[in-house]
Amino acid sequence: STLPPKMQVRMQGQVTSSRFVKRAFTGVPTVRGHQCVHPRSQLRSYNMENEAVIELQGDSQTSSAGRQLYEVADAAAAPAKPVTLPSQPAVLAAVAGVGLTALALKASLDRGSRAYSGNVGEEYDAWTREGILEYYWGEHIHLGYYTDEERAAGYKKKNFKQAKYDFIDEMLKFSRASNPTSILDVGCGFGGSSRHLAKKFPNAQVQGITLSSEQVVRGTELAQERGIPNVKFQVMDALNMTFPDNSFDLVWACESGEHMPDKKRYVEEMARVLKPGGVMVIACWCQREETPDKPITADEKKELQFLYDEWAHPYFISYQEFARLMQGTGVVEDIVSEDWTAPTLPSWHHSIWVGVWDPWIVVGKPHLWYKCMRDGVCIMRMHDAFEKGLMQYGMITGRKAVKAAVGQVQAAEKTLSGSRS
């Protein structure tokens, strides 16, 4: 196909030598039958038996066509290189190696790699330093909110980070809080909800607490960058808060209860620091309610154990149990609980897609590839667990009693304070 258009080549028989081409073609020749005639040389004859018969028509445009023919002939005449196939044992060994590697990887991915051991602060320190979580999820380390219309239109059409801001606004509506002047964000991450609430209520003082010192630093940096003076962050254990009783109008707990090793004390401590008439609101990943009619099966327990152990969760409870814990404080009333699985479920797959669309921060950190792969696996398994009903997204809110007798409230608060010691 690289020869001049007017030149036609017809090969017949088996080429055993390319000498006839090299000897006869110093320009563009004409070949008739078995005789090669060069336009500027005398006629020379060759015995062409068992060799190629070449018919060429054209003028002496260039000698490159001849050189191309030499290469064709040389390549055809070259002896074939022997192909060495791997032995059958080698093939079997390679296949076995690949199979064993795949089985080992699957076994590794079926076991959680970050089981809870009081390590929540250290894990969030690492996630904050790496920067990947903030890059993809933004300032809010929690799921987003997608309306019925947005889900019908396709969740990928919504901005992933905007969905998180929408969640905060929906959670605030659900809480029924009205113009709080003091807000506690329990398990604040690097302060996305705290800053959003501080901007929404500029006359309020917002306090965020976390077990991660890195999150305190990052949250403070972001508040300063955005000029939000009415929010502060500190390291504090939510199960042993140092705030006095009755300190806050609104106690906000967005996706922190998952990491609490004592859910009862978690709720009681929040009730203790809540002012009478104040509102407590919890958003939490929950496992479904277990009943005699529908017990947690062995396969479900295995799946839950992976979800516990991959992201430092001691255990989950049902959102109905959270409501019972609120009721059990003796000071929280007007309790409402709901399942928000449907409006939050798209967050899991959406978080995968934002990584697919923009993978470069991960590509640039090869030492984190395996960890990111594990996180991706856990995200998919979380989605599946929520989709099939093993997990549910719980929303629970209540108000601290103000109408109850003073003695009753004081007795309940004394009980809560005593439970801390």
Side-chain angles (χ1 to χ4, degrees):
S1 62
T2 59
L3 297 176
K6 294 182 180 180
M7 187 173 290
Q8 301 175 355
V9 179
R10 178 168 58 85
M11 304 295 288
Q12 295 179 342
Q14 179 181 7
V15 176
T16 58
S17 172
S18 63
R19 288 193 303 256
F20 77 96
V21 177
K22 293 179 179 178
R23 291 178 61 189
F25 296 170
T26 58
V28 181
T30 300
V31 180
R32 296 172 184 160
H34 290 181
Q35 294 179 328
C36 296
V37 179
H38 191 275
R40 291 188 299 274
S41 65
Q42 66 183 35
L43 176 67
R44 284 174 281 178
S45 301
Y46 295 90
N47 181 2
M48 306 290 272
E49 288 185 8
N50 296 323
E51 297 204 20
V53 177
I54 303 178
E55 292 180 355
L56 303 171
Q57 294 178 350
D59 52 26
S60 54
Q61 297 175 355
T62 173
S63 62
S64 64
R67 286 195 297 273
Q68 292 176 20
L69 287 173
Y70 304 159
E71 295 171 1
V72 171
D74 279 337
K81 295 181 179 179
V83 177
T84 303
L85 297 175
S87 63
Q88 186 176 11
V91 172
L92 293 176
V95 172
V98 171
L100 290 173
T101 300
L103 289 174
L105 181 61
K106 183 180 184 304
S108 174
L109 293 176
D110 279 342
R111 294 190 303 270
S113 63
R114 286 161 280 189
Y116 177 82
S117 60
N119 56 336
V120 174
E122 291 83 352
E123 292 297 335
Y124 278 103
D125 280 344
W127 277 318
T128 304
R129 284 192 301 268
E130 291 159 4
I132 293 175
L133 187 60
E134 182 180 352
Y135 183 83
Y136 287 125
W137 286 57
E139 299 180 25
H140 304 272
I141 313 174
H142 57 76
L143 301 189
Y145 190 93
Y146 302 77
T147 65
D148 293 342
E149 294 77 15
E150 288 167 340
R151 298 197 303 276
Y155 65 85
K156 286 181 283 189
K157 294 182 179 180
K158 184 167 186 173
N159 182 281
F160 180 59
K161 294 177 182 177
Q162 181 59 47
K164 297 165 180 294
Y165 284 96
D166 292 348
F167 180 89
I168 300 171
D169 292 336
E170 293 296 329
M171 182 173 173
L172 184 61
K173 291 177 188 176
F174 173 77
S175 75
R176 300 162 296 174
S178 177
N179 296 318
T181 58
S182 53
I183 302 171
L184 174 63
D185 186 357
V186 180
C188 61
F190 35 80
S193 296
S194 300
R195 285 185 297 276
H196 189 68
L197 293 170
K199 289 178 67 177
K200 186 174 285 291
F201 303 107
N203 295 324
Q205 292 298 313
V206 182
Q207 177 69 63
I209 63 171
T210 172
L211 291 174
S212 167
S213 59
E214 293 285 344
Q215 288 185 330
V216 169
V217 171
R218 184 59 180 147
T220 302
E221 288 174 349
L222 291 169
Q224 291 172 348
E225 289 174 9
R226 286 154 178 70
I228 307 174
N230 58 324
V231 60
K232 299 290 185 292
F233 303 99
Q234 63 178 303
V235 174
M236 187 182 294
D237 183 357
L239 302 184
N240 293 284
M241 291 189 280
T242 58
F243 302 117
D245 297 353
N246 308 319
S247 295
F248 300 96
D249 297 320
L250 173 60
V251 176
W252 179 279
C254 183
E255 297 187 11
S256 58
E258 298 89 335
H259 293 296
M260 300 298 166
D262 188 337
K263 316 295 190 198
K264 181 174 182 291
R265 185 159 180 166
Y266 169 63
V267 173
E268 289 175 347
E269 269 291 88
M270 291 190 290
R272 180 185 67 80
V273 301
L274 185 63
K275 291 180 180 180
V279 170
M280 180 198 309
V281 61
I282 299 173
C284 195
W285 306 347
C286 300
Q287 66 188 54
R288 70 169 176 81
E289 180 94 316
E290 184 173 23
T291 65
D293 293 337
K294 194 175 182 181
I296 302 293
T297 67
D299 286 342
E300 288 176 328
K301 288 179 180 178
K302 182 178 178 181
E303 183 63 18
L304 286 170
Q305 194 64 52
F306 172 82
L307 300 180
Y308 298 160
D309 292 346
E310 185 60 21
W311 284 343
H313 300 126
Y315 63 97
F316 302 136
I317 62 174
S318 69
Y319 71 87
Q320 295 94 332
E321 180 63 15
F322 267 118
R324 289 191 285 268
L325 290 176
M326 274 194 190
Q327 185 70 41
T329 64
V331 298
V332 180
E333 60 184 14
D334 195 16
I335 298 166
V336 177
S337 61
E338 293 182 3
D339 179 1
W340 279 23
T341 300
T344 57
L345 183 63
S347 299
W348 299 108
H349 280 175
H350 206 170
S351 68
I352 294 291
W353 276 109
V354 295
V356 171
W357 293 326
D358 182 10
W360 304 114
I361 188 173
V362 176
V363 171
K365 298 183 178 184
H367 62 291
L368 295 176
W369 288 354
Y370 180 69
K371 184 177 182 180
C372 290
M373 179 187 70
R374 291 198 68 100
D375 286 340
V377 169
C378 192
I379 286 171
M380 296 301 293
R381 291 178 70 165
M382 276 288 187
H383 173 274
D384 292 347
F386 276 92
E387 186 176 47
K388 66 187 179 184
L390 176 59
M391 294 287 291
Q392 296 175 318
Y393 198 97
M395 298 293 295
I396 312 95
T397 188
R399 189 179 301 274
K400 194 167 184 177
V402 292
K403 296 180 180 179
V406 174
Q408 179 185 352
V409 174
Q410 288 177 341
E413 288 177 343
K414 183 177 181 181
T415 300
L416 294 178
S417 297
S419 68
R420 301 175 62 208
S421 58

